[in-house]
């Protein structure tokens, strides 16, 4: 094979005269360049690690302090108040350590100690400042003097030009709410869902828990909060994600769409080449920690911990629990096309492959007419089926030989790429085009995405793209940081819920798509720009030797996955009657507006209200992930009923809407500042299980179904693409599968000033749900709420 010969750095032949050694200068040259590149990376990482480690100070500040201290040695002023002399007395005198040298070393040690002390003081001061959250609860444009003063101090102590992880040591810990407060908020949240008798029973059960064992469980939780960086995140990752034994396809993984109106090129290999190159650029900055940290208002930092595992991460199946494998410096990706797996090297001569070179590699795969090996085509269905089945099959059939080698190539790859043989995207002439596009991204054919990878990049035949992401390693805003959009609970969302509009402050970059369209670009023929190096090693086919028994396991996993996928009822549509521009004129949060429309739509759809999940972020705290906003409130149900009550006037309905919107905003503020309900109760439940304590209250709380699960996907945060200048360069956002068998999953993205996109999922098997019907109800609810306001609508 040609690629095998190119991969050999030297060859030798044994002859009667001895060993005849043949060296390949070309390969040795690239080995040398790879070593140089590797050490350069290590040096840059070390340098950036030092810069982040001493932040908000800098190495230059240490040098200034040392010079200043040394300068005092020639004056009669002793800034150390005798400490330099004390240090000098402890240093030994020898031929190498004269009295003068002792004095210099003592001054340097004192200055270093003072410098480190100042760093700790700055960090703890900044941590104390960041523990203040009163600014979130103030109305837009009405900042108090104390908040303005606080912002000034935060800016002062935040230093200059921070790196991605510079603020990690200064972030406060997530506080543990009081049991009494959590129970009070919980009872308030379920009041509109229970009749008087049910609510009275819940009050009794909650009161018993508050007396015992609540205080006992709380003590253990507080103790954990002292020891761990975040008292929720590790348990949330383990018990909600990794210990789940059901399929993660549809049930856990989520997706993100491409640009809505624009396809930069219809050449599949070219589009994949540009985007993969953009991802490699992003990864290089990520590994070096060179991305700017995300900050609200341009000031308040958020935790960057989740970003560490974006690349080179795979969920490894286990019989009892899965695990996350994260590696560094992996220089290949694995590509799937028409049932075949290929390994493609991403580096050549110590550098990334250029987009044109990646296009050539992908085109070679597209042009390959070879057939899949036995069991290869549907192999990835194992990652879509039951986790225990996959774990046992991995041990039985993929733990040795060529199967292990090929599986290792997939699991250690930077990410997974599918060159899909279908065409999808938005077609204004086909009202269901986005529905089919969403289903393809969510589950595909059930065997053409590797659902265990941190993310799978999907490139369609017509040049459209998409992502399918595994959920345990991070939340959707992290993928959005690289891709195009922010996920549920981003800072624009948070600031809007606080009465602010944070487009200029949020850092959820449109990195990959902006780089693809505006930096890399394409030729007039649609190819990637640049020349192609024909000496590149060819893509390598992964080899498999799957026995008939293993193929039967693959078939069973595929059958299960196919049943799940076929049951997903998806409706994705564009709401262009109005958008954020008009909603802001209503003097309310766009998110609250949409959430109240969802409550009204659900009431009209099912004739009742249900427990509603909306995701918010807690990344103002170290290692924070998410919290739940229970969007179904007493205020929202009263408003929804009033909209259906013909005796109510528009003025009365508007007043009820404003009360419900304010209630929603306040609940969101509480959730993101650590005073939510569900994560606290979840952790109390975990402690009760460890202690073997049976709690009827916690058992009932954790068993309640979320029949309406929602999230917002704000877009256009850093203006890498100016929507005003390029209105067609917007994304349709992303979505997820239904959480409950008889419920809906709703994701929405508020695009610019005049467009909102909704992604609705449910199950065909439920007679209570219909995604298309619910979508119609949402559109009508949005229009009915807008009609409450007495001003003319501005058309786009």
């Amino acid at each position: 094979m040609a690629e095998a010969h190119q991969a050999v750095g030297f060859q030798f032949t044994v002859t009667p005269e001895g060993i005849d050694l043949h060296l390949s200068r070309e390969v040795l040259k690239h080995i040398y360049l790879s070593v140089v590149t590797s050490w350069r990376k290590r040096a840059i990482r070390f340098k950036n690690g030092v810069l982040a480690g001493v932040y908000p100070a800098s190495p230059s500040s240490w040098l200034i302090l040392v010079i200043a201290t040394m300068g005092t040695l020639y004056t009669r002023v002793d800034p150390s108040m005798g400490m330099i002399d004390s240090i000098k007395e402890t240093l030994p005198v020898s031929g190498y350590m004269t009295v003068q040298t002792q004095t210099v070393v003592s001054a340097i040690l004192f200055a270093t100690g003072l410098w480190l002390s100042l760093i700790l003081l700055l960090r703890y001061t900044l941590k104390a400042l960041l523990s203040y959250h009163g600014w979130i609860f103030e109305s837009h444009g009405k900042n108090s003097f104390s908040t303005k003063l606080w912002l000034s101090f935060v800016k002062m102590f935040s230093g200059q030009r921070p790196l991605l992880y510079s603020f990690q040591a200064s972030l406060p810990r997530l506080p543990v709410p009081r049991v009494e407060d959590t129970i009070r908020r919980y009872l308030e949240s379920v009041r509109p869902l229970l009749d008087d008798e049910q609510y009275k029973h819940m009050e009794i059960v909650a009161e018993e828990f508050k007396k015992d064992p609540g205080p006992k469980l709380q003590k253990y939780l507080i103790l954990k909060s002292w020891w761990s960086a975040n008292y929720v995140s590790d348990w949330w990752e383990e018990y909600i994600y990794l210990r789940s034994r059901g399929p993660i396809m549809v049930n856990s993984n989520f997706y993100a769409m491409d640009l809505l109106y624009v396809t930069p090129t219809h050449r599949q290999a070219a589009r994949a080449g540009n985007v993969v190159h953009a991802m490699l650029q992003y990864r290089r900055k990520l590994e070096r920690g060179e991305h700017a940290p995300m900050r609200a208002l341009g000031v308040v930092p958020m935790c960057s911990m989740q970003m560490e595992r974006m690349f080179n991460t795979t969920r490894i199946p286990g019989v009892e629990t899965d695990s996350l494998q994260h590696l560094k410096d992996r220089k290949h990706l694995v590509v799937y096309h028409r049932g075949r797996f290929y390994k493609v090297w991403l580096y050549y001569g110590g550098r990334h492959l250029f987009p044109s070179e990646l296009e050539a590699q992908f085109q070679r795969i597209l042009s390959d007419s070879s057939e899949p090996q036995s069991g290869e085509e549907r192999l990835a269905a194992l990652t879509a089926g039951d986790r225990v089945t996959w774990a046992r099959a991995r041990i039985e059939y993929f733990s040795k030989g060529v199967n292990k080698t090929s599986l290792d190539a997939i699991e250690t790859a930077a990410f997974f790429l599918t060159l899909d043989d279908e065409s999808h995207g938005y077609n204004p002439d086909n009202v269901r085009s986005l529905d089919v596009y969403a289903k393809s991204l969510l589950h595909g054919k059930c065997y053409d995405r590797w659902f265990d990878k941190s993310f799978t990049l999907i490139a369609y035949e017509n040049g459209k793209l998409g992502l399918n992401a595994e959920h345990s390693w991070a939340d959707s805003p992290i993928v959005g940081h690289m891709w195009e959009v922010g996920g549920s609970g981003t800072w624009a969302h948070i600031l809007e819920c606080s009465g602010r509009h944070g487009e200029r402050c949020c850092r959820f970059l449109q990195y990959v798509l902006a780089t693809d369209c505006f930096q890399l670009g394409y030729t007039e023929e649609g190819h990637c720009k640049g020349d192609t190096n024909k000496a590149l090693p060819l893509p390598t086919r992964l080899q498999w030797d799957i026995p008939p028994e293993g193929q039967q396991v693959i078939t069973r996993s595929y059958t299960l996955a196919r049943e799940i996928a076929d049951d997903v009822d998806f409706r994705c549509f564009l709401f262009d009657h109005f958008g954020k521009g008009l909603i802001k004129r209503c003097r309310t949060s766009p998110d609250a507006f949409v959430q109240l429309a969802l409550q009204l739509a659900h009431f009209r759809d099912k004739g009742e209200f249900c427990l509603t999940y909306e995701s918010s972020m807690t990344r103002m705290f170290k290692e924070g992930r998410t919290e739940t906003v229970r969007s179904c409130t007493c205020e929202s149900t009263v408003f929804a009923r009033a909209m259906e009550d013909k005796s109510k006037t528009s003025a009365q309905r508007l007043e009820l809407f404003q009360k419900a919107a304010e209630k929603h905003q306040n609940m969101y503020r509480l959730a993101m500042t650590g005073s939510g309900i569900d994560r606290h109760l979840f952790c109390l439940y975990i402690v009760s299980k460890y202690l073997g304590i049976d709690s009827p209250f916690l058992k009932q709380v954790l068993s309640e179904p979320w029949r309406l699960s929602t999230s917002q996907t704000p877009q256009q945060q850093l203006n890498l693409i100016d929507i005003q200048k390029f209105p067609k360069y917007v994304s349709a956002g992303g979505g997820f599968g239904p959480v409950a068998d008889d419920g809906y999953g709703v994701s929405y993205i508020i695009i610019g000033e005049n467009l909102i996109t909704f992604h609705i999922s449910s199950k065909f098997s439920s007679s209570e749900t219909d995604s298309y019907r619910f979508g119609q109800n949402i559109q009508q609810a949005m229009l009915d709420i807008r009609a409450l306001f007495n001003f003319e609508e501005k058309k786009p």
Side-chain angles (χ1 to χ4, degrees):
M1 296 174 64
E3 62 268 28
H5 289 292
Q6 294 181 39
V8 177
F10 66 93
Q11 299 175 349
F12 65 90
T13 304
V14 179
T15 66
E17 289 78 20
I19 297 177
D20 185 13
L21 184 64
H22 304 278
L23 296 178
S24 171
R25 292 184 179 180
E26 182 67 17
V27 175
L28 292 180
K29 170 187 173 183
H30 290 297
I31 291 174
Y32 166 75
L33 292 174
S34 296
V35 171
V36 171
T37 301
S38 178
W39 279 102
R40 185 185 297 122
K41 281 184 179 180
R42 294 182 186 182
I44 293 173
R45 287 176 186 166
F46 177 77
K47 180 199 74 173
N48 291 339
V50 170
L51 292 176
V54 302
Y55 198 83
S58 64
S60 60
S61 65
W62 170 82
L63 183 60
I64 293 172
L65 193 58
V66 168
I67 294 174
T69 304
M70 295 289 290
T72 63
L73 297 178
Y74 300 97
T75 67
R76 295 183 178 181
V77 179
D78 183 6
S80 70
M81 294 182 292
M83 292 184 65
I84 292 178
D85 291 334
S86 299
I87 296 173
K88 185 165 61 176
E89 291 175 0
T90 63
L91 297 176
V93 179
S94 65
Y96 301 100
M97 184 72 73
T98 63
V99 174
Q100 185 177 5
T101 304
Q102 279 184 314
T103 303
V104 172
V105 172
S106 299
I108 293 174
L109 291 175
F110 168 76
T112 302
L114 179 61
W115 181 66
L116 293 174
S117 300
L118 289 175
I119 290 174
L120 291 176
L121 178 62
L122 288 172
R123 284 182 176 177
Y124 279 103
T125 302
L126 183 58
K127 182 180 290 188
L129 289 169
L130 295 177
S131 298
Y132 168 75
H133 300 123
W135 61 276
I136 297 173
F137 294 87
E138 295 178 355
S139 300
H140 174 55
K142 298 181 180 179
N143 288 346
S144 63
F145 173 76
S146 59
T147 294
K148 294 178 181 178
L149 185 63
W150 170 79
L151 281 171
S152 299
F153 277 120
V154 172
K155 292 178 182 178
M156 182 189 307
F157 286 97
S158 292
Q160 300 293 324
R161 295 187 298 275
L163 296 172
L164 181 60
Y165 303 112
S166 293
F167 290 112
Q168 289 301 104
S170 301
L171 293 173
R173 295 172 184 263
L174 182 68
V176 182
R178 296 171 64 245
V179 173
E180 295 81 359
D181 293 339
T182 298
I183 290 178
R184 173 175 52 80
R185 295 187 186 111
Y186 169 77
L187 291 174
E188 182 182 354
S189 72
V190 298
R191 184 63 187 96
L193 305 175
L194 305 176
D195 59 33
D196 293 341
E197 184 177 347
Q198 292 172 327
Y199 182 72
K200 187 65 176 178
H201 172 72
M202 180 56 73
E203 276 188 318
I204 294 173
V205 175
E207 190 64 29
E208 291 175 352
F209 174 79
K210 189 164 61 175
K211 295 178 180 177
D212 182 67
K216 181 179 180 180
L217 303 178
Q218 178 79 347
K219 290 177 182 177
Y220 282 98
L221 204 56
I222 292 174
L223 187 62
K224 181 178 187 286
S225 72
W226 292 346
W227 288 349
S228 60
N230 189 295
Y231 80 93
V232 175
S233 295
D234 56 343
W235 283 352
W236 187 255
E237 179 180 297
E238 178 180 359
Y239 291 103
I240 297 301
Y241 294 116
L242 298 180
R243 283 185 179 267
S244 174
R245 300 295 79 202
I248 62 175
M249 183 199 75
V250 174
N251 298 322
S252 178
N253 286 31
F254 56 93
Y255 67 86
M257 286 184 171
D258 194 4
L259 297 173
L260 187 59
Y261 303 112
V262 176
T263 306
T265 178
H266 292 286
R267 296 185 183 274
Q268 184 178 17
R271 189 79 197 283
N274 258 11
V275 168
V276 169
H277 183 76
M279 287 181 170
L280 294 178
Q281 290 181 322
Y282 182 91
R283 185 178 74 159
R284 179 171 56 192
K285 294 185 68 176
L286 181 62
E287 290 177 341
R288 296 175 178 180
E290 293 176 347
H291 288 293
M294 291 163 279
R295 293 194 279 183
L297 303 177
V299 178
V300 183
M302 290 188 292
C303 180
S304 302
M305 180 274 298
Q306 295 181 54
M307 297 181 68
E308 295 177 0
R309 300 184 292 187
M310 185 176 296
F311 294 91
N312 318 312
T313 297
T314 304
R315 178 169 174 162
I316 305 299
V319 175
E320 295 183 357
T321 181
D322 293 353
S323 60
L324 287 174
Q325 172 185 276
H326 175 64
L327 306 168
K328 292 183 178 180
D329 289 332
R330 298 307 173 187
K331 300 182 178 180
H332 72 278
L333 64 78
V334 170
V335 181
Y336 179 92
H337 176 62
R338 292 188 181 275
R340 292 100 29 105
F341 292 84
Y342 299 82
K343 182 177 182 179
V344 178
W345 290 102
L346 300 172
Y347 289 76
Y348 182 79
R351 62 166 176 82
H352 290 149
L353 293 189
F354 297 133
S356 56
E357 294 171 333
L358 288 166
E359 178 187 358
Q361 297 290 68
F362 299 147
Q363 188 58 54
R364 286 167 177 163
I365 293 173
L366 293 172
S367 301
D368 186 358
S369 60
S370 61
E371 294 296 321
Q373 302 162 70
S374 297
E376 181 182 18
E377 182 178 15
R378 295 182 176 179
L379 173 62
L382 290 170
T383 68
D386 180 76
R387 301 304 294 175
V388 176
T389 301
W390 172 208
R392 289 174 175 163
R394 188 174 184 273
I395 295 171
E396 182 70 22
Y397 307 111
F398 299 92
S399 59
K400 58 185 178 181
V402 294
N403 289 346
K404 183 180 188 306
T405 302
S406 296
L407 182 61
D408 285 346
I410 295 175
E411 294 180 341
T412 61
F415 54 93
F416 194 83
L417 168 64
T418 295
L419 297 175
D420 207 300
D421 56 1
E422 296 181 351
S423 294
H424 290 291
Y426 174 60
N427 180 358
D429 298 326
N430 182 357
V431 295
R432 303 308 295 261
S433 61
L434 285 178
D435 306 352
V436 180
Y437 183 21
K439 279 179 65 69
S440 176
L441 292 174
L442 185 63
H443 54 69
K445 298 175 182 176
C446 302
Y447 57 78
D448 52 355
R449 289 93 173 90
W450 198 269
F451 295 100
D452 285 354
K453 290 299 291 184
S454 54
F455 67 89
T456 295
L457 172 64
I458 300 133
Y460 292 104
E461 271 193 337
N462 60 344
K464 279 295 182 183
L465 299 173
L467 288 179
N468 180 288
E470 201 275 319
H471 210 328
S472 65
W473 64 276
D475 302 309
S476 56
I478 305 304
V479 177
H481 185 283
M482 172 194 66
W483 184 241
E484 193 277 335
V485 294
S488 58
T490 63
W491 278 108
H493 187 186
I494 289 170
L495 296 179
E496 286 174 346
C497 287
S498 304
R500 295 176 172 82
H501 305 290
E503 292 88 342
R504 63 182 176 83
C505 309
C506 232
R507 293 288 186 177
F508 293 102
L509 308 183
Q510 300 181 338
Y511 190 92
V512 169
L513 297 185
T515 302
D516 169 35
C517 299
F518 292 94
Q519 294 185 26
L520 299 176
Y522 300 90
T523 65
E524 293 183 359
E525 294 78 21
H527 293 287
C528 295
K529 295 179 179 179
D531 298 327
T532 300
N533 187 342
K534 297 182 179 180
L536 292 175
L538 300 176
T540 305
R541 276 287 302 271
L542 298 186
Q543 301 301 308
W544 307 96
D545 182 16
I546 305 174
E549 298 83 1
Q551 295 180 37
Q552 292 175 5
V553 175
I554 293 172
T555 300
R556 288 199 298 270
S557 291
Y558 169 72
T559 301
L560 173 61
R562 189 74 263 171
E563 291 176 359
I564 295 172
D566 290 342
D567 196 25
V568 176
D569 177 16
F570 233 101
R571 175 61 175 151
C572 185
F573 65 91
L574 308 181
F575 181 85
D576 57 3
H577 298 277
F578 60 86
K580 181 171 60 178
L582 183 140
I583 295 175
K584 286 189 291 186
R585 294 172 61 200
C586 301
R587 297 186 180 276
T588 190
S589 157
D591 178 69
F593 189 102
V594 176
Q595 284 291 328
L596 289 175
L598 292 177
Q599 290 299 315
L600 176 57
H602 189 275
F603 183 58
R604 289 172 172 174
D605 186 82
K606 288 191 174 183
E608 61 182 9
F609 299 100
C610 69
L611 198 61
T612 305
Y613 182 108
E614 183 187 6
S615 179
S616 71
M617 281 173 36
T618 56
R619 289 176 60 203
M620 284 190 298
F621 303 98
K622 191 171 185 179
E623 296 187 13
R625 290 197 62 160
T626 61
E627 178 57 276
T628 303
V629 180
R630 294 180 168 230
S631 300
C632 183
T633 63
C634 292
E635 290 80 359
S636 68
T637 57
V638 170
F639 162 71
R641 292 185 190 278
M643 291 294 289
E644 298 299 281
D645 186 350
K646 295 182 179 180
S647 66
K648 298 293 184 182
T649 65
S650 294
Q652 291 173 319
R653 292 169 177 170
L654 180 58
E655 182 181 359
L656 293 174
F657 169 82
Q658 291 169 337
K659 289 181 179 179
E662 179 59 34
K663 176 66 175 181
H664 180 270
Q665 290 175 324
N666 188 62
M667 290 183 63
Y668 205 103
R669 294 161 181 158
L670 289 171
M672 70 183 184
T673 54
S675 297
I677 299 169
D678 292 276
R679 300 302 179 267
H680 185 204
L681 293 177
F682 162 76
C683 289
L684 290 173
Y685 178 76
I686 298 299
V687 174
S688 72
K689 287 300 180 182
Y690 278 129
L691 298 178
I693 296 175
D694 184 56
S695 170
F697 171 72
L698 292 176
K699 188 179 297 184
Q700 183 164 345
V701 170
L702 271 295
S703 64
E704 293 170 344
W706 300 96
R707 290 192 172 89
L708 182 56
S709 182
T710 71
S711 74
Q712 184 193 172
T713 310
Q715 187 228 32
Q716 174 59 21
Q717 308 306 332
L718 193 60
N719 295 329
L720 289 185
I721 300 176
D722 187 344
I723 289 182
Q724 300 300 323
K725 188 175 181 180
F726 302 101
K728 296 296 183 181
Y729 286 84
V730 295
S731 168
F736 52 89
V739 175
D741 291 339
D742 55 352
Y744 292 106
V746 181
S747 176
Y748 51 96
I749 175 172
I750 302 173
I751 307 172
E753 299 294 303
N754 299 291
L755 179 63
I756 304 174
T757 300
F758 288 90
H759 302 249
I760 306 168
S761 62
S762 63
K763 294 189 176 183
F764 286 114
S765 57
S766 173
S767 59
E768 300 180 24
T769 59
D770 183 311
S771 293
Y772 185 85
R773 182 186 70 209
F774 192 48
Q776 295 295 104
N777 284 325
I778 291 175
Q779 294 188 65
Q780 189 60 52
M782 294 283 289
L783 294 172
D784 289 347
I785 294 176
R786 178 256 173 270
L788 299 178
F789 295 88
N790 296 319
F791 50 78
E792 291 299 321
E793 176 183 334
K794 290 184 177 181
K795 293 291 184 181

